[in-house]
Amino acid sequence: MTPDTPGLHHVTAIAGDPQRNADFYVDTLGLRFVKRTVNHDDTGSYHFYFGDEGGMPGTTITFFPWTDDGRQGEFGAGQAQATAYRIPTESVDYWRDRLEDRDVDVTETERFGETVLAFADPDGIGLELVAADDETAHGDPDEVGTEIDVGDGTIDHGDSIATTWSASPVPAEHQLRGFHNVTLAVSGIQPTAAVLTDVLGYERENEVDGRHRFRSATGGPASIVDLVETDANRGRTGVGTVHHVAFKARDLEEQERWREAYADHGLSPSEVIDRKYFRSIYAREPGGVLFEMATMAPGFTEDEDREELGSSLVLPDRLEAERERIEARLPEFDGPSVEN
């Protein structure tokens, strides 16, 4: 019997210009730039991480900025259509005004009884803000547990899914509260639904207007995956598309059980890969979306103090000897600029 995932860990997408990417997610959305490193499989490109004050799993969106060829992606079946963050219900007006003041086109709709602000980032990646109050969705970093036990792979962040960042340009009461859901576009619902329910322990919750909602058995923030059917061709990876969606594994033992469950379901999971801040396995589900299972530990303070997260380029130990060559290849980047 497989365990039940606590929900979403992170979402990784392909961006274009790194400066524009960082400016948008920090200055416009108010997320913290928690890690500046490189793509471990392609050291000629950055890997950026944005999240809450500590980059907690369930709050983090990451990007590979592709600048060498800038190949544009093509959205289609087998891709994430939108990544949604939670906001308080009283913050809808604030966020609509903030986005419009920055010339971001916003569409306001209602879905499953909740207000949704839909828009795209500068590269065309679909984003949503969902007004969904939950008393456990946000916390003060001084009051939320942050102890990480690297030895057995466990992590304790207390009861909150996100912690406020004091230096954010967005006031604490309006800051994003971690993920609400991701929407996956597939050519047929059932094959992907079977992976969610039979492998990851999600439960089918509702279906409205062709949107099929699944929630992890543990519930709470970052626990929702929506499936929508599309007649579009299979998408092509490139700038403006999501590369993969990651789910939480509490520890290495639990991750191995999922690896076995993927294989039992007829998929081909990867070996465990050390991403320094978590350990990962990957499997492409039948609908074409690349799923990752990422451990909760050791976290982003593995190589930087919490106060210094994202302030400099960090490399895994195996690449440190190549730092000079790697830095020479990377595109110019000054760090995110924050106006207000």
Side-chain angles (χ1 to χ4, degrees):
M1 183 175 178
T2 59
D4 297 321
T5 176
L8 299 168
H9 188 286
H10 67 268
V11 173
T12 294
I14 311 297
D17 179 72
Q19 189 67 55
R20 183 180 64 181
N21 173 252
D23 290 349
F24 180 81
Y25 281 88
V26 177
D27 185 47
T28 298
L29 295 188
L31 295 174
R32 187 180 184 186
F33 187 40
V34 294
K35 192 62 61 177
R36 181 191 319 190
T37 184
V38 294
N39 183 338
H40 293 182
D41 302 317
D42 175 14
T43 59
S45 63
Y46 284 111
H47 193 177
F48 291 164
Y49 295 75
F50 306 94
D52 75 337
E53 186 267 345
M56 189 184 299
T59 74
T60 309
I61 189 166
T62 94
F63 292 90
F64 301 128
W66 284 4
T67 54
D68 288 343
D69 58 20
R71 185 180 77 241
Q72 285 297 126
E74 183 175 326
F75 175 76
Q79 291 185 339
Q81 184 180 74
T83 299
Y85 277 89
R86 304 166 63 90
I87 58 171
T89 55
E90 61 270 20
S91 297
V92 172
D93 290 343
Y94 171 87
W95 276 105
R96 186 195 310 106
D97 293 344
R98 182 177 184 85
L99 293 169
E100 290 178 348
D101 286 347
R102 287 160 173 74
D103 297 321
V104 177
D105 292 332
V106 181
T107 300
E108 183 173 338
T109 59
E110 185 173 296
R111 181 187 304 151
F112 297 111
E114 297 172 324
T115 299
V116 179
L117 300 179
F119 57 101
D121 79 356
D123 291 301
I125 293 167
L127 298 169
E128 295 174 340
L129 304 181
V130 181
D133 278 330
D134 187 322
E135 64 182 2
T136 66
H138 217 203
D140 186 314
D142 294 329
E143 298 176 355
V144 177
T146 56
E147 182 178 355
I148 297 175
D149 184 345
V150 179
D152 65 6
T154 60
I155 185 169
D156 177 15
H157 282 302
D159 295 328
S160 180
I161 190 63
T163 53
T164 55
W165 175 39
S166 61
S168 175
V170 175
E173 65 270 22
H174 297 302
Q175 287 180 28
L176 307 188
R177 299 187 169 194
F179 293 135
H180 181 274
N181 73 282
V182 293
T183 300
L184 309 181
V186 291
S187 58
I189 298 296
Q190 189 51 42
T192 303
V195 174
L196 292 176
T197 58
D198 299 349
V199 178
L200 298 180
Y202 275 71
E203 299 173 351
R204 189 185 295 267
E205 185 174 270
N206 205 349
E207 187 272 320
V208 176
D209 297 329
R211 178 178 289 267
H212 301 254
R213 173 149 291 185
F214 296 79
R215 190 183 298 267
S216 71
T218 58
S223 62
I224 299 171
V225 174
D226 286 350
L227 300 182
V228 295
E229 199 164 273
T230 179
D231 58 4
N233 294 328
R234 185 63 64 93
R236 184 184 69 181
T237 300
V239 174
T241 63
V242 171
H243 186 269
H244 63 266
V245 174
F247 298 87
K248 298 173 186 173
R250 293 177 182 85
D251 51 41
L252 291 170
E253 179 182 354
E254 189 174 86
Q255 184 180 67
E256 181 58 29
R257 290 168 65 190
W258 268 309
R259 188 172 177 279
E260 294 171 358
Y262 277 127
D264 290 344
H265 197 79
L267 305 181
S268 300
S270 71
E271 297 295 326
V272 176
I273 301 174
D274 184 356
R275 296 303 189 193
K276 189 163 187 174
Y277 313 113
F278 39 83
R279 309 296 184 264
S280 299
I281 61 170
Y282 299 86
R284 195 170 296 278
E285 56 83 29
V289 184
L290 183 61
F291 282 177
E292 177 183 354
M293 302 300 301
T295 59
M296 302 280 277
F300 293 119
T301 55
E302 177 74 353
D303 55 7
E304 290 180 297
D305 292 337
R306 196 177 184 91
E307 296 76 16
E308 301 298 322
L309 289 176
S311 61
S312 61
L313 179 70
V314 292
L315 300 173
D317 293 341
R318 64 182 177 81
L319 294 177
E320 192 59 51
E322 302 177 52
R323 174 176 288 273
E324 186 174 346
R325 181 188 65 82
I326 289 172
E327 289 182 337
R329 293 181 59 204
L330 290 170
E332 183 177 347
F333 175 64
D334 298 327
S337 59
V338 178
E339 297 180 6
N340 60 348

